Amino acid sequence: MGAALDRLLEGVAMPHRIHDLAQPMSNGMASSPNHPGFRMALLRRHGDMVRDDGGSAANELIVTGGHVGTHVDALAHVSQHGLLHGDVDAAAAQVGGRFSRHGIDEMEPIVGRGVLLDVAARHGVAELPAGYGIGSADLEDAAASEGIEVRPGDVALVRSGWGAHFADAERFVGAASGVPGPNEEGARWLADRGIRATGADTIAYEQIPPRAGHRVLPVHRVLLVEGGIHIIEVMNLEGLAAAKAYEFLFVLAPLRIVGGTGSPVRPLAVVPE
Amino acid sequence: MGAALDRLLEGVAMPHRIHDLAQPMSNGMASSPNHPGFRMALLRRHGDMVRDDGGSAANELIVTGGHVGTHVDALAHVSQHGLLHGDVDAAAAQVGGRFSRHGIDEMEPIVGRGVLLDVAARHGVAELPAGYGIGSADLEDAAASEGIEVRPGDVALVRSGWGAHFADAERFVGAASGVPGPNEEGARWLADRGIRATGADTIAYEQIPPRAGHRVLPVHRVLLVEGGIHIIEVMNLEGLAAAKAYEFLFVLAPLRIVGGTGSPVRPLAVVPE
Amino acid sequence: MGAALDRLLEGVAMPHRIHDLAQPMSNGMASSPNHPGFRMALLRRHGDMVRDDGGSAANELIVTGGHVGTHVDALAHVSQHGLLHGDVDAAAAQVGGRFSRHGIDEMEPIVGRGVLLDVAARHGVAELPAGYGIGSADLEDAAASEGIEVRPGDVALVRSGWGAHFADAERFVGAASGVPGPNEEGARWLADRGIRATGADTIAYEQIPPRAGHRVLPVHRVLLVEGGIHIIEVMNLEGLAAAKAYEFLFVLAPLRIVGGTGSPVRPLAVVPE
Amino acid sequence: MGAALDRLLEGVAMPHRIHDLAQPMSNGMASSPNHPGFRMALLRRHGDMVRDDGGSAANELIVTGGHVGTHVDALAHVSQHGLLHGDVDAAAAQVGGRFSRHGIDEMEPIVGRGVLLDVAARHGVAELPAGYGIGSADLEDAAASEGIEVRPGDVALVRSGWGAHFADAERFVGAASGVPGPNEEGARWLADRGIRATGADTIAYEQIPPRAGHRVLPVHRVLLVEGGIHIIEVMNLEGLAAAKAYEFLFVLAPLRIVGGTGSPVRPLAVVPE
């Protein structure tokens, strides 16, 4: 038993960098119109109520959603013809205002191997064009040029370069201009490799043509419903890409929201230096 | 560079268990009266709006606070005589409705060594008495009997057994009966060991006598203001205790809430089997 | 046409008092455990962002529910055997996450005759006993002793005296001790008189025995489902009672929340002096 | 005493129409980027939890702000050079996370004379041009052509025609195109007449030039800070205008939010037919 722990503690004792793969959460940040906007307001500030001993506490009220900011989708998020992953009846699983099956609390936290497929770099561009569909050849070429193999149980992160626009909400959400993302073929390529989760640096993890809205979501169907593969959206992959860190220890710990369809998260990549 | 990553990936490839150290988040759960109660409501359920292709999405609206459920305190949370940790002026740091210094977004995510100090087990009880103050002798005895050393940079988790009462909100919050927790002396003992964070299975990480309210918080002052040491509250340490897992790889990734005073979290302990 | 307006404007030009029939809304106020607690937090305070011209604005974030504080129930709030008032199918009316029928936006605002039935005064007590059921004789006696007739189209307000306890949340909600309120017979007596709405100074407009919870709500069934009569809860009737104002112009303007099951309100009584 | 009440009850017994002056509140509705967006989500739907007696209740979680949808501004909303209306120190009035002076709970509910100044109709247009400033001549001409006098204590409603665009959030908010509204001169003309409140059918009750943002708000200073006159925004005045109802009984009952800077409202106009 000691051997595994020794390995882990030895690993984190060596020089390494923890890459933060989350975008910052703040009032007015980019958000899909289908979801609540993020709001944080201080209920109490220091000085509002100072105790006799000179101490004072500040705290806040937070409004968010399960799919706001950097977040992960539970399998309960999407159904097809009334069924969730594994032919679970979606209507029957909605019990008492939450999901009794496939809620985000059923997702196993992840501490395991992650890989980066930097499709933008492979194309030699800062970012893929708006509306571009990332297919299997894009993913295969990226992996090959990085010398990386995607293995069963991995978390595969797909970079379009779009994360650099997060602060420009209109462009990032791309209602008018569109957003690049994996297409159905690309999603199947990932699913065929047996990954457990995949993420991207865009709002929807879908190819969104200009003015198309979020009306048809084939990739969500392929991954969540058919594959039982979790999707992480709105990631910040710029640091990993700059460091050319294509393989890492990936950590993801969704909030334990009982019966929720997703959770804001702070994904991490541990990269030796 | 490869060596560290190899160690980490080897470690997680060996048999291990990931202990979930968070309590579940659901409507009506135990919460301090000083903070908003947690609420999650589905905005859309499957069937509400089915697209032409048979697909449907469900999502939610979430209301919470930075100190609701299992959570970690930012250094901005508590001030003493108008000063945050490092003599930062608390009033001046409250800029534009959030903290420009010591917000939770400044806290480094943690992937490192964690230890459990099971004080309840050391006392041979399921749980410490309500209102009990955990002092330096309790912590030292627990460490000694477990054969564990608390080292600089560690995360030290202190178990009172109180986490087993989480589902009984009245008892867990303990307004009438009190709650056990580290006292000022115990907090100093931990701070003297150079830990970077500490957590417990209670609502306040303080000794709360019956009917005392949360009026004086000396441990928060010692740890957050004086020590710059983060506090994790409302943890579930029952699984670790049952497994007698006293040393582990500890993972904590607070949400990246800009200028917030705390964040709900899902702390994990990776324990070899 | 001018005559009616002249009457109204003449009326409000004469000496009168507007009685505020709402309880104050503030953080931590009494609230049913079935509903979200009220929270208000300032997003911006004066000084946070001062414009070049010296101006500054403050504003807030509010979390509430349709049945929080002084509020009115829409007919969509309660169903019996799957049916809303008028045999509307409850499941079918839940469209897109809100009610397509009997939502609070369908309730007509009220500017009309209101009457107070001060049952506590009739009993010669400051407040009715916890758990007391207000029946038809109580209502009839109160009306008779006040010289008031309850007429079709009226709004009938029933006073138990319980509103004086609003600031003591535990007592007001009465989980342990119970709360007085109209019983089924009392509700039928009111419904038989053709009123359009009725209100009370308690949390539930029901007779709640000690430790009974809010498990069976016959009065809601009689009024909302069978009668199509709106219910106003958590009213402050102390001022009207002190002024012995038993007849008045009653005003109620629910927020126009599309498809909501209720709304916080500020009911008013215009009473000549 | 009876005379005034008789007048009021006689008035409401005659044929009349209650005009709803509020816009509907629903998810995704037009909202200023400075304020939280409105969200309503059902916590429970009928069928989620059916009691033994066949009864079931539905209820919701609501997120809003004091300045969301049709709403009224408290005097605490705006300060100039650190002072609220009546030279109240703004910083000192911010106590414990809310306003101890000039909060919306200090505003008197209104049941009194209201007048409509239909500036769009006076110009012979469906709506005033984007960015148009409504001055004293516009208001004086509108009043004269309607045969209406603005008197002390009145509520004066100013129509630009912009309310017809409420469902088109982008146009209504007018970030790019601008929005018409009273200018400083127009506001002074109203203040000079001793009104107690004024409202309009736009997002900001200010002249907003294209791409100007909400950066300088002279009308708010003139009315709220200097005049102590409440401002009602996002009104629906289309029905009143169509009915050419220029004088009416106006009713406004803000929620009793302790220390809030504003409140969503449902303003009403009682108009004889």
Side-chain angles (χ1 to χ4, degrees), chain B residues 18 29 56 61 71 134 170 178 189 195 199 201 204 210 218-219 234 249 260 262-263 271:
Chain B
I18 298 180
M29 73 181 190
S56 159
L61 174 64
H71 68 274
I134 299 171
E170 193 171 330
W189 186 88
I195 59 170
D201 52 359
V219 169
V234 194
L249 182 71
S263 172
V271 179

Side-chain angles (χ1 to χ4, degrees), chain A residues 21-23 69-71 166 172 200-203 232-236:
Chain A
L21 308 184
Q23 297 285 3
T70 307
H71 68 275
F166 181 72
F172 185 74
D201 52 358
T202 57
I203 188 86
I232 313 164
E233 286 154 323
V234 194
M235 299 187 82
N236 180 353

Side-chain angles (χ1 to χ4, degrees), chain C residues 120-192:
Chain C
R122 172 65 188 156
H123 282 249
V125 295
E127 67 191 44
L128 297 176
Y132 182 82
I134 300 171
S136 59
D138 290 311
L139 299 169
E140 199 150 325
D141 287 356
S145 72
E146 295 167 0
I148 284 291
E149 189 189 15
V150 181
R151 300 180 198 147
D154 276 359
V155 176
L157 307 181
V158 179
R159 179 174 174 268
S160 70
W162 216 248
H165 299 308
F166 181 71
D168 179 349
E170 194 172 329
R171 184 163 185 188
F172 185 74
V173 174
S177 57
V179 186
N183 59 23
E184 190 167 346
E185 185 211 47
R188 287 202 189 285
W189 186 89
L190 289 165
D192 287 347

Side-chain angles (χ1 to χ4, degrees), chain A residues 99-175:
Chain A
F99 283 86
S100 61
R101 288 292 309 280
H102 289 323
I104 193 63
D105 53 318
E106 286 190 13
M107 179 186 175
E108 291 292 325
I110 298 174
V111 182
R113 184 174 183 256
V115 297
L116 174 69
L117 301 173
D118 189 343
V119 180
R122 172 65 189 155
H123 281 249
V125 296
E127 66 191 45
L128 297 175
Y132 182 83
I134 299 171
S136 59
D138 290 311
L139 298 169
E140 199 150 325
D141 288 356
S145 72
E146 294 167 1
I148 285 291
E149 189 190 15
V150 181
R151 299 180 198 147
D154 276 359
V155 176
L157 307 182
V158 179
R159 179 174 174 267
S160 70
W162 216 249
H165 298 309
F166 181 72
D168 179 348
E170 193 171 330
R171 183 161 186 190
F172 185 74
V173 174

Side-chain angles (χ1 to χ4, degrees), chain B residues 13-28:
Chain B
M14 292 179 178
H16 67 278
R17 181 167 168 200
I18 298 180
H19 282 269
D20 178 3
L21 308 185
Q23 297 285 5
M25 303 179 85
S26 61
N27 291 330

Side-chain angles (χ1 to χ4, degrees), chain D residues 24-160:
Chain D
M25 304 179 86
S26 61
N27 290 330
M29 73 181 192
S31 190
S32 160
N34 295 336
H35 298 285
F38 176 84
R39 292 283 167 178
M40 189 272 276
L42 294 176
L43 280 157
R44 285 183 299 165
R45 301 188 186 185
H46 295 296
D48 281 351
M49 279 179 273
V50 180
R51 292 187 305 262
D52 290 345
D53 68 346
S56 160
N59 68 333
E60 60 274 281
L61 174 63
I62 295 171
V63 171
T64 185
H67 305 266
V68 169
T70 307
H71 68 274
V72 60
D73 293 350
L75 300 184
H77 179 42
V78 168
S79 68
Q80 185 67 19
H81 301 310
L83 300 177
L84 303 176
H85 177 65
D87 289 337
V88 170
D89 185 274
Q94 293 171 157
V95 176
R98 63 197 203 192
F99 283 86
S100 61
R101 290 291 308 281
H102 289 323
I104 193 63
D105 53 317
E106 286 190 13
M107 178 185 175
E108 291 293 326
I110 298 174
V111 181
R113 184 177 184 255
V115 297
L116 174 70
L117 301 173
D118 190 343
V119 180
R122 172 65 188 158
H123 281 249
V125 296
E127 66 190 43
L128 297 175
Y132 182 82
I134 300 171
S136 59
D138 290 312
L139 298 169
E140 200 150 325
D141 288 356
S145 73
E146 295 167 1
I148 284 291
E149 189 189 15
V150 181
R151 300 180 198 147
D154 276 359
V155 176
L157 307 182
V158 180
R159 179 174 173 269
S160 70

Side-chain angles (χ1 to χ4, degrees), chain B residues 44-137:
Chain B
R44 284 183 299 166
R45 299 188 186 186
H46 295 297
D48 282 350
M49 279 178 273
V50 180
R51 293 187 306 262
D52 290 345
D53 68 346
S56 159
N59 68 335
E60 60 274 281
L61 174 64
I62 296 170
V63 171
T64 185
H67 305 266
V68 170
T70 307
H71 68 274
V72 60
D73 293 350
L75 300 184
H77 179 42
V78 168
S79 68
Q80 185 67 20
H81 301 311
L83 300 176
L84 303 176
H85 178 65
D87 288 338
V88 169
D89 186 276
Q94 293 171 157
V95 176
R98 62 196 202 190
F99 283 85
S100 61
R101 290 291 309 281
H102 289 323
I104 193 64
D105 53 318
E106 287 190 13
M107 179 186 174
E108 291 293 327
I110 298 174
V111 181
R113 185 176 183 257
V115 297
L116 173 70
L117 301 173
D118 189 343
V119 180
R122 171 66 187 154
H123 282 249
V125 296
E127 66 190 44
L128 298 176
Y132 182 82
I134 299 171
S136 59

